[in-house]
Amino acid sequence: MKPLALFIIIPLATAFLIALLGRRIKNLGDVLTNMAGAGLFILACSIIPGVISHKVLTYKTGNWPVILGSSFIVDGLSMLLLVVINLVCCLVMVYSLSYMEKYTDKWNYQALFMLMIAGLNGVILSADIFTLYVFLELASIAGYVLVAFSTEAEALEASFRYTIIGSLASVCILLGIALLYSFTSTLNMADISLIIASRSQQGQLLNFVSVLFLAGFGMKAALVPFHAWLPDAHSSAPSPVSATLSGVVIKTLGVYSLIRIFFNVIGTSSNLLNCLVILGLASMIAGAFLAIAQNDIKRMFAYSSISQVGYIIFALGIGTPLAVLGGLFHLLNHAVFKSLLFLNAGAIERVAGTRDLTKLKGLAEKLPLTSSTALFGSMSISGVPPFAGFWSKLIIIIAAIEAGHPIFALIAALVSIVTLVYYLKFQAGVFFGALPSAFANIKEAPLTMKMPMVVLAVLSVAGGLLLLPCCREFLQSAVKAVLS
Amino acid sequence: MSEYFLCLILFCTGLYCILRKRNIIKIIVGLAIIEYSVNLFLILIGYRFKGRAPIFALGQEIPNMVDPLPQAVVLTTIVIGLAVIVVAVALSVRIYSKYKTFDITKIRRLRG
């Protein structure tokens, strides 16, 4: 299958061209990135039928056999993430057209962004564990630079912290890969899992490797003991970057890699699943309560990301097919509504010049579109019925009760109410009340910024339709890939 | 065996630098040390006792050769490590111009 390589070739080539010519040709970056974004999304949609009917698509680099070369593989889980990543990136590229005007070197931003997309797609596609590491680093390094893109003091500080913690996480992952290689003498993931399953004496090495991977990918996913970098990095970055970081990067680098390594390669044990449940619950609770206290809207959304990723990890830790379905569905929904909310925050910051809840007030009449899309996002993430977020949280809670954890289910439901509380605080603070005279002359954001917000708002309602019998196969094939 | 212990000591030195040092340049040096210790560990994994380089020639048999794969892996990780260090150093230069200090405890405008 040729198209699989295109997922990496297109963004890399675009990044190269923009870095080379962007300074000289004025609108080259705008045109190329939007074409690449749209093309990648169409490509991601076009592989869905193939994956659903064939289960697995493979691309062999240079026609080497799968075990020797670094091949690309797409199964149900990768397909789900490819669609999510390329959807969010495509919309964010449209949004950046006018949002990034305020920076002088927009082409650098576009080149770095394309490198990050190449890294994300590569992580999803790679069939061997070291290629996964290389692409993970590519996405992370582009992420470190993008966080510091505004070169304001806070952004630099946040980016430095992110760089140090992110590199430490990568070192843990690399050490894990080294130990796993010494144990199995292969880097191919399918091969590693076969060899591990065939050894009867496993000893303590696999436990140590599990701890290394849990720490490494946990840092990348910002689970609670390792979350310190996330609120700084996600709130100081430019808004389109925050939308991508919160929407897809932590999920791809953290959650996806965690699922791939533990469910498909090393294999799960009851201890590991308990660990995931505890980490998930801790992230859920701590993220939600820290979010209430924030007055900076982007910082509040960043803590909320920690809390929602906690739901996904919690669902995976329960480990029944229904729970995994809920977790993956929540992953998809969270990517949609969290990027929507960050784009809203960007629109608010652009027109009002501040993100402080105590200074903002009554913007609903001046920004009708931003306020209504933000309402969609907030209601969906807090789990209010008809919105997509309600269905995924409902599935997770039902799965927790079925698996015999009624107390955990109760906690998940209560955290959902806390989520509603801080999103109401956001709504009340920004959009309701009398408009201060300072904001009397502000105007709604331009069309290129409105369009992505409207699309994401529609998706945050329509996402629930994926549970209908005709579309369910999309999620079911991902669940089968996780649990096979 | 002693090589593995030295590797562990190197790893711990790097970790100590990252966790305890206040100067951001020293933290970056710690990061470099920790990366090199993992690279060294990868090379040690591929080493066979009295092994030779796996280069074949006509009519020659190598009974005991080292594993070439970790060496290829290490070449890649060295380049990645270099990129990370370059980013970190560039950031520290910009941080110095904004905060006028390299002390990590004084670079604290973000809170909460």
Side-chain angles (χ1 to χ4, degrees):
Chain A
M1 282 295 284
K2 268 275 185 293
L4 294 190
L6 285 178
F7 279 111
I8 293 158
I9 294 171
I10 293 177
L12 273 184
T14 317
F16 176 73
L17 281 178
I18 295 172
L20 198 67
L21 302 169
R23 188 192 300 263
R24 302 209 192 98
I25 306 171
K26 197 170 160 253
N27 287 323
L28 180 81
D30 296 351
V31 176
L32 278 183
T33 47
N34 280 294
M35 273 167 54
L40 284 171
F41 178 58
I42 293 167
L43 206 60
C45 290
S46 73
I47 63 165
I48 295 175
V51 174
I52 287 178
S53 57
H54 294 103
K55 302 275 181 279
V56 177
L57 304 179
T58 314
Y59 171 79
K60 296 174 191 156
T61 326
N63 264 333
W64 286 90
V66 172
I67 293 185
L68 295 179
S70 54
S71 45
F72 298 144
I73 284 186
V74 174
D75 60 5
L77 177 65
S78 331
M79 171 192 71
L80 175 80
L81 273 137
L82 274 179
V83 172
V84 172
I85 290 172
N86 292 303
L87 169 74
V88 171
C89 291
C90 166
L91 292 172
V92 163
M93 283 333 295
V94 178
Y95 183 90
S96 314
L97 278 178
S98 40
Y99 185 86
M100 297 307 285
E101 281 301 326
K102 63 179 173 181
Y103 299 108
T104 46
D105 49 352
K106 199 172 155 193
W107 68 88
N108 274 337
Y109 160 79
Q110 284 159 334
L112 282 165
F113 201 95
M114 281 292 143
L115 278 181
M116 191 161 82
I117 298 177
L120 294 175
N121 283 340
V123 168
I124 302 296
L125 288 170
S126 52
D128 77 88
I129 201 165
F130 185 70
T131 316
L132 185 143
Y133 171 80
V134 172
F135 281 116
L136 181 132
E137 280 292 88
L138 175 60
S140 306
I141 293 172
Y144 307 148
V145 184
L146 281 173
V147 167
F149 194 77
S150 64
T151 63
E152 282 157 11
E154 288 85 3
L156 291 168
E157 181 189 337
S159 172
F160 187 76
R161 261 184 227 171
Y162 183 20
T163 311
I164 298 298
I165 295 180
S167 317
L168 213 53
S170 305
V171 165
C172 285
I173 295 165
L174 187 62
L175 199 58
I177 292 172
L179 288 167
L180 211 52
Y181 176 73
S182 73
F183 185 61
T184 59
S185 312
T186 175
L187 288 172
N188 185 284
M189 291 203 235
D191 221 21
I192 292 177
S193 73
L194 282 180
I195 290 174
I196 287 177
S198 66
R199 299 257 168 107
S200 51
Q201 288 284 316
Q202 296 192 332
Q204 290 298 309
L205 182 72
L206 275 185
N207 289 340
F208 184 55
V209 172
S210 301
V211 169
L212 283 173
F213 280 138
L214 203 58
F217 293 124
M219 276 190 239
K220 295 274 184 198
L223 297 178
V224 139
F226 318 113
H227 70 287
W229 60 270
L230 184 136
D232 298 343
H234 288 201
S235 59
S236 316
S239 284
V241 178
S242 325
T244 334
L245 286 178
S246 255
V248 290
V249 174
I250 52 173
K251 298 200 188 67
T252 314
L253 303 189
V255 179
Y256 168 82
S257 320
L258 212 61
I259 298 176
R260 201 40 109 203
I261 298 284
F262 284 119
F263 284 79
N264 293 151
V265 178
I266 295 182
T268 48
S269 60
S270 61
N271 282 341
L272 178 84
L273 290 179
N274 288 338
C275 263
L276 288 181
V277 167
I278 292 166
L279 284 173
L281 280 174
S283 314
M284 224 186 290
I285 299 168
F289 280 99
L290 287 165
I292 293 186
Q294 303 303 321
N295 274 327
D296 179 339
I297 41 182
K298 278 175 82 173
R299 226 172 157 68
M300 179 192 269
F301 294 163
Y303 277 113
S304 154
S305 284
I306 297 176
S307 167
Q308 302 303 315
V309 169
Y311 271 97
I312 301 169
I313 295 292
F314 169 69
L316 291 170
I318 293 173
T320 57
L322 187 68
V324 173
L325 175 80
L328 293 177
F329 189 32
H330 199 61
L331 186 153
L332 189 153
N333 284 335
H334 182 250
V336 170
F337 47 61
K338 188 48 64 69
S339 18
L340 169 63
L341 286 166
F342 269 113
L343 297 186
N344 288 144
I348 294 166
E349 190 188 5
R350 185 173 187 269
V351 293
T354 176
R355 321 191 287 250
D356 196 337
L357 274 180
T358 53
K359 289 179 193 148
L360 292 163
K361 218 176 175 200
L363 290 178
E365 56 175 291
K366 288 285 177 189
L367 307 174
L369 198 113
T370 309
S371 72
S372 49
T373 49
L375 186 68
F376 275 53
S378 310
M379 292 300 110
S380 190
I381 197 171
S382 356
V384 175
F387 292 97
F390 167 72
W391 302 109
S392 50
K393 282 188 182 174
L394 187 69
I395 295 175
I396 293 174
I397 291 169
I398 291 175
I401 294 172
E402 271 186 3
H405 303 299
I407 298 170
F408 295 162
L410 184 70
I411 294 175
L414 289 177
V415 170
S416 181
I417 295 171
V418 178
T419 314
L420 186 62
V421 170
Y422 60 77
Y423 277 101
L424 286 180
K425 180 185 166 188
F426 158 67
Q427 288 287 332
V430 178
F431 297 115
F432 294 106
L435 188 75
S437 55
F439 298 140
N441 292 323
I442 60 173
K443 275 199 228 110
E444 180 68 283
L447 179 71
T448 50
M449 285 169 71
K450 280 185 202 158
M451 201 276 282
M453 294 197 282
V454 172
V455 173
L456 286 170
V458 170
L459 286 177
S460 72
V461 186
L465 298 178
L466 279 177
L467 290 176
L468 291 178
C470 56
C471 314
R472 204 184 282 161
E473 200 50 39
F474 181 62
L475 285 168
Q476 285 293 352
S477 61
V479 174
K480 277 178 209 146
V482 173
L483 295 174
S484 65
Chain B
M1 201 62 202
S2 59
E3 295 89 348
Y4 287 95
F5 279 112
L6 290 173
C7 190
L8 181 70
I9 291 171
L10 206 57
F11 188 88
C12 293
T13 314
L15 203 58
Y16 173 80
C17 273
I18 292 177
L19 296 177
R20 295 290 301 162
K21 290 292 169 190
R22 292 163 55 148
N23 188 321
I24 56 178
I25 299 296
K26 287 185 184 165
I27 293 176
I28 295 171
V29 171
L31 199 61
I33 292 175
I34 211 166
E35 267 163 9
Y36 286 133
S37 79
V38 177
N39 289 344
L40 184 63
F41 182 68
L42 268 164
I43 290 288
L44 287 175
I45 281 172
Y47 182 69
R48 302 281 175 277
F49 187 63
K50 292 198 172 161
R52 281 187 49 196
I55 303 168
F56 289 100
L58 215 59
Q60 189 187 14
E61 263 193 28
I62 305 175
N64 192 13
M65 62 181 180
V66 297
D67 186 353
L69 192 91
Q71 301 181 0
V73 165
V74 162
L75 277 181
T76 318
T77 56
I78 286 174
V79 177
I80 293 172
L82 181 72
V84 173
I85 301 291
V86 166
V87 169
V89 170
L91 282 174
S92 68
V93 171
R94 296 302 280 265
I95 287 177
Y96 186 78
S97 69
K98 296 275 181 193
Y99 290 86
K100 305 288 173 221
T101 175
F102 278 129
D103 189 341
I104 196 82
T105 54
K106 292 193 180 116
I107 303 171
R108 275 198 172 275
R109 282 191 208 168
L110 290 165
R111 290 201 166 272

